[in-house]
Amino acid sequence: MNGWTGQILRVNLTAKTFNKESFTEEFARKWIGGRGFAAKILFDELAPGIDPLGPDNKFIVALGPIAGIPAPNTGKAVVAGKSPSTGGYGDGNLGTRVAEQLRKAGYDALIVEGKAAGPTMLYIEDDRVEFLPADAVWGKGTYETNDWIYAKYGKGVGVLNIGQAGENLVRYAVVRSLEGRAGGRTGMGAVMGSKLLKAVVVKGTKPIPQADPDGMKKVGMDDLREVHRIDKEAGWSIQSTNGVLAWCNEVAALPVRNFRKTHHADAWKVDGERLNNARIATYGCPNCTMRCGITIHDDEGRESELDYENIGLLGPNLEIFDLPQVGSLNYLCDDYGIDTMSGGCTLSFYADAIDHGAVAGDYGFNDAAGSKKLLGMIARREGEIGNILAEGSMRAARKFGHGSEAYAMQVKGLEVAAYNCKFIPGMALAFGVSPIGAHHKESWVITFELKSTSRESYGPEKAQKVIDLQRIRGGLFEYIVSCRFPWIEIGWGLENYPKYFKLVSGLDWTLDDFWTISDRIYSMIKLFWLREYPGTDRKLDYPPAVWFDPANADTDGPIAGRHLEYDKYDGLLQHYYDLRGYDRRGIPTKATLERLGVAEEGRAAEKYGKLT
Amino acid sequence: MKITVKLIGPFVQVFGFSEKELDVPEGTTAEELISLVSIDKSRPKIVTRNGRAVVPDEALAEGDRVVISPIYSGG
């Protein structure tokens, strides 16, 4: 089966067993890989209602047909499971050599089940699987764990690991890779930790089956050079993702002070110019020629790799405008294995809750030292407050009460990425209908809203744009498994991806064929949510309440006095449902499921929640 | 009239400044301003005036802050 190895490796940590399972060509063509494989496997194999931090959850690593093959920018893997932060479907992607090594070992996906008897490192080398003790690094951060693995196996192996946050079941713990990358902000690090799985190490030596390996090699290498040339010409990687910070500040979209404000006079101190000036090194994922990881020295002299999301949420959102201090918070999150976005939002929630008297505490905005201390307490679940904040802002708010729910910037339990949608209706919708909670990776429409329609509009054009981008970003790039940056940041044509797909699989597909796959997977994930939340309604797809609050409106700047409006947002949400073929609860109708080839899954979900 | 022009992201390095104040004739439009600061017209961009997107022939006013940015896509 060209394009796929045709094998999934299933490992049971409880029994210390493993087996290789073949999948059919029909399965491959229907779900493609990555998020598609993960969503289908989790839907089929997880009983609704299981504890995401219990042994019944499964940790999945899933790759796609172009993952790991030299071409722009294919060094990524999807990690997935039932999310400890949302209780729904959860996943994330990260740059890692696992993409190439797992496929060379002969697998398109890895399913990890059960729970080990003690701290374990899973070592996979082609047909061999070893369950090795990881006591030596249990309790250690991800950097030391990485070094320990490097020392054993060299730097060429694929590695996924967790820090103390994953071990201690922090609900927004991430999985980290050797390249300094993190993924799975829906708590996939905690899923690994719940299984006492400290690390996965992979080495492969087999060729990846391809229809035209020589053609793919030539096209892939040529295109890597071309992406590099375009990036150099455009200058995108000079400031990388953090170029957008200054723009967000200008157009009132920056999260400042737990999203209370949308701009700040000191934002320039942590913008892309300052980041580029402070640069000491640049890092990228495997098979990347437009590297986005800019490292600086943090305020303790450590190397910290920054991008916009972590600067936005650990910087302005906490009213910290000192780049080395932000770098230090980022370093700690990376070492502990805490998601920088949810970590930043949970800290800002705590500061805001104290500020408004919902809870007593010795912490506040613009408190780098206090933030560092709290991150350590969270990672270790130390003391009452460390333990509460380790649960994330939604659960912490329920614990604190006194109206503090209003300060938790989250959707479905996942904290909002670094775009303040106080008055950006389409982006608020993108966060609301993201299938994993408030993540920006599914769809990002702010430029469209300002440039191609009007910021004030709640019209169907915005719902359609969210869907168009979900099909590409949350769809294609998540199941073919490749980084979206060449397309979104420097305009690398989407038509290249069916081209790569044909070279590896021999299948001549159009982009429209891929959009059907995207819609199928989104519907599948909706069914997963329906099973977990049978009483679900459209309120699950609402953004944070504070964005609707007139009392929270800006008092100056371009959106002074403006805020989202409930009835209009609800209308925009209905446009989205209508265009998607979902009912008023946001659940795909039977007709939609039939059209997308998931009627059987619909019937399975109907035992738990009604379909219309 | 005095207008402040702010460039974003790689435009800072590519076009040689980050922010500057210009004295321009009354009635200058956004498009004319872009020419005045030698921004390559072929580069995809979004131009905002005091935080709101402008159309090319929109006339500017004293004290405006005009921001010229590449088209970002949100990482």
Side-chain angles (χ1 to χ4, degrees), chain A residues 135-194:
Chain A
D135 303 81
V137 284
W138 195 255
K140 306 292 187 187
T142 63
Y143 289 112
E144 190 174 338
T145 304
N146 282 348
D147 289 344
W148 182 74
I149 294 168
Y150 274 147
K152 274 181 181 298
Y153 300 107
K155 292 186 176 182
V157 293
V159 173
L160 302 173
N161 74 351
I162 59 169
Q164 297 93 334
E167 295 174 10
N168 293 317
L169 313 183
V170 175
R171 287 185 188 269
Y172 43 96
V174 287
V175 178
R176 296 261 298 154
S177 81
L178 279 174
E179 291 77 19
R181 294 299 197 258
R185 56 179 300 246
T186 47
M188 295 305 110
V191 176
M192 280 183 70
S194 72

Side-chain angles (χ1 to χ4, degrees), chain A residues 503-518:
Chain A
L503 286 165
V504 297
S505 70
L507 299 170
D508 194 4
W509 283 24
T510 66
L511 284 169
D512 283 339
D513 295 327
F514 284 110
W515 305 156
T516 302
I517 304 283
S518 302

Side-chain angles (χ1 to χ4, degrees), chain A residues 57-102:
Chain A
N57 199 2
K58 302 193 181 190
F59 175 67
I60 292 180
V61 181
L63 308 167
I66 67 169
I69 291 172
N73 286 16
T74 56
K76 298 202 104 178
V78 167
V79 290
K82 180 175 177 179
S83 165
S85 53
T86 69
Y89 171 80
D91 69 13
N93 71 60
L94 72 166
T96 171
R97 291 189 196 98
V98 165
E100 179 186 6
Q101 295 300 322
L102 191 62

Side-chain angles (χ1 to χ4, degrees), chain A residues 233-236 238-244 246-247 250-251 271 273-274 276 309 419 440 444 447 450-451 455-456 473 484-485 488-489 558-559 562, chain B residues 6-14 17-19 43-55 65-75:
Chain A
E233 192 175 282
W236 176 79
I238 295 170
Q239 295 188 17
S240 184
T241 57
N242 203 37
V244 83
W247 188 74
E250 296 286 348
V251 301
D271 71 6
E273 281 183 71
R274 262 38 65 175
N276 182 45
E309 300 297 332
Y419 304 98
H440 62 292
W444 192 93
T447 303
L450 267 65
K451 188 178 168 71
R455 192 163 183 162
E456 288 77 9
R473 297 169 61 120
R484 61 186 177 270
F485 279 14
I488 65 170
E489 301 294 8
I559 59 165
R562 308 302 299 268
Chain B
K6 163 78 179 145
L7 302 186
I8 300 287
F11 284 6
V12 173
Q13 281 79 9
V14 174
F17 71 96
S18 173
E19 181 173 331
R43 291 288 291 252
K45 64 182 92 53
I46 177 168
V47 182
T48 58
R49 174 188 174 204
N50 306 325
R52 294 168 176 269
V54 296
V55 292
R65 181 175 177 80
V66 175
V67 174
I68 306 171
S69 173
I71 306 285
Y72 276 103
S73 299

Side-chain angles (χ1 to χ4, degrees), chain A residues 468-478 487 494 515 518:
Chain A
D468 291 346
L469 289 173
Q470 285 180 332
R471 285 175 174 153
I472 300 167
R473 297 169 61 120
L476 178 68
F477 288 115
E478 295 287 330
W487 174 66
L494 280 180
W515 305 156
S518 302

Side-chain angles (χ1 to χ4, degrees), chain A residues 98-117:
Chain A
V98 165
E100 179 186 6
Q101 295 300 322
L102 191 62
R103 299 200 77 210
K104 283 186 170 173
Y107 312 105
D108 293 309
L110 165 69
I111 304 172
V112 182
E113 304 175 337
K115 180 180 180 179

Side-chain angles (χ1 to χ4, degrees), chain A residues 408-432:
Chain A
M409 298 304 298
Q410 52 81 29
V411 176
K412 300 181 178 72
L414 186 71
E415 285 75 12
V416 179
Y419 304 98
N420 197 339
C421 301
K422 197 183 278 193
F423 192 57
I424 316 177
M427 191 64 216
L429 176 71
F431 281 138

Side-chain angles (χ1 to χ4, degrees), chain A residues 124-448:
Chain A
I124 300 163
E125 184 173 342
D126 294 338
D127 297 334
R128 197 169 95 231
V129 177
E130 296 176 11
F131 302 81
L132 303 170
D135 303 81
V137 284
W138 195 255
K140 306 292 187 187
T142 63
Y143 289 112
E144 190 174 338
T145 304
N146 282 348
D147 289 344
W148 182 74
I149 294 168
Y150 274 147
K152 274 181 181 298
Y153 300 107
K155 292 186 176 182
V157 293
V159 173
L160 302 173
N161 74 351
I162 59 169
Q164 297 93 334
E167 295 174 10
N168 293 317
L169 313 183
V170 175
R171 287 185 188 269
Y172 43 96
V174 287
V175 178
R176 296 261 298 154
S177 81
L178 279 174
E179 291 77 19
R181 294 299 197 258
R185 56 179 300 246
T186 47
M188 295 305 110
V191 176
M192 280 183 70
S194 72
K195 298 182 177 305
L196 300 183
L197 179 61
K198 180 69 175 175
V200 178
V201 181
V202 192
K203 186 177 178 183
T205 61
K206 304 172 192 173
I208 300 170
Q210 299 173 58
D212 182 359
D214 292 338
M216 185 66 236
K217 188 175 180 183
K218 179 174 188 325
V219 168
M221 295 309 289
D222 285 351
D223 287 0
L224 278 166
R225 280 188 286 272
E226 184 63 2
V227 164
H228 183 68
R229 187 193 66 75
I230 296 169
D231 176 49
K232 285 294 162 210
E233 192 175 282
W236 176 79
S237 56
I238 295 170
Q239 295 188 17
S240 184
T241 57
N242 203 37
V244 83
L245 189 145
W247 188 74
C248 286
N249 193 49
E250 296 286 348
V251 301
L254 188 69
V256 176
R257 199 178 175 86
N258 196 35
F259 290 77
R260 293 310 180 119
K261 300 176 184 173
T262 61
H263 52 96
H264 195 286
D266 289 336
W268 65 273
K269 293 178 180 174
V270 294
D271 71 6
E273 281 183 71
R274 262 38 65 175
L275 180 64
N276 182 45
N277 292 342
R279 181 197 306 256
I280 54 170
T282 308
Y283 290 100
C285 302
N287 296 339
C288 177
T289 53
M290 48 176 292
R291 298 180 298 166
C292 67
I294 299 174
T295 62
I296 66 165
H297 280 133
D298 74 7
D299 67 354
E300 295 184 32
R302 299 168 299 207
E303 215 177 287
S304 177
E305 183 179 326
L306 290 162
D307 66 19
Y308 170 64
E309 300 297 332
N310 44 52
I311 293 175
L313 292 166
L314 294 168
N317 193 44
L318 296 174
E319 289 199 325
I320 295 172
F321 295 99
D322 180 287
L323 206 48
Q325 285 183 353
V326 176
S328 196
L329 300 181
N330 178 70
Y331 177 90
L332 290 175
C333 283
D334 282 351
D335 197 32
Y336 293 137
I338 291 173
D339 173 48
T340 53
M341 292 184 247
S342 286
C345 281
T346 300
L347 291 180
S348 68
F349 155 77
Y350 185 44
D352 209 2
I354 292 170
D355 200 37
H356 284 78
V359 63
D362 182 22
Y363 178 63
F365 293 104
N366 190 21
D367 182 359
S371 300
K372 287 183 191 179
K373 187 178 168 194
L374 279 172
L375 286 173
M377 291 170 69
I378 290 168
R380 294 184 293 272
R381 282 189 178 264
E382 187 179 293
E384 187 184 5
I385 197 63
N387 202 33
I388 291 172
L389 296 179
E391 294 288 289
S393 63
M394 178 181 77
R395 290 174 177 81
R398 288 176 186 158
K399 184 84 176 173
F400 293 155
H402 300 290
S404 64
E405 289 88 345
Y407 319 133
M409 298 304 298
Q410 52 81 29
V411 176
K412 300 181 178 72
L414 186 71
E415 285 75 12
V416 179
Y419 304 98
N420 197 339
C421 301
K422 197 183 278 193
F423 192 57
I424 316 177
M427 191 64 216
L429 176 71
F431 281 138
V433 298
S434 157
I436 58 169
H439 204 310
H440 62 292
K441 74 173 180 169
E442 311 291 329
S443 187
W444 192 93
V445 295
I446 301 176
T447 303
F448 172 81

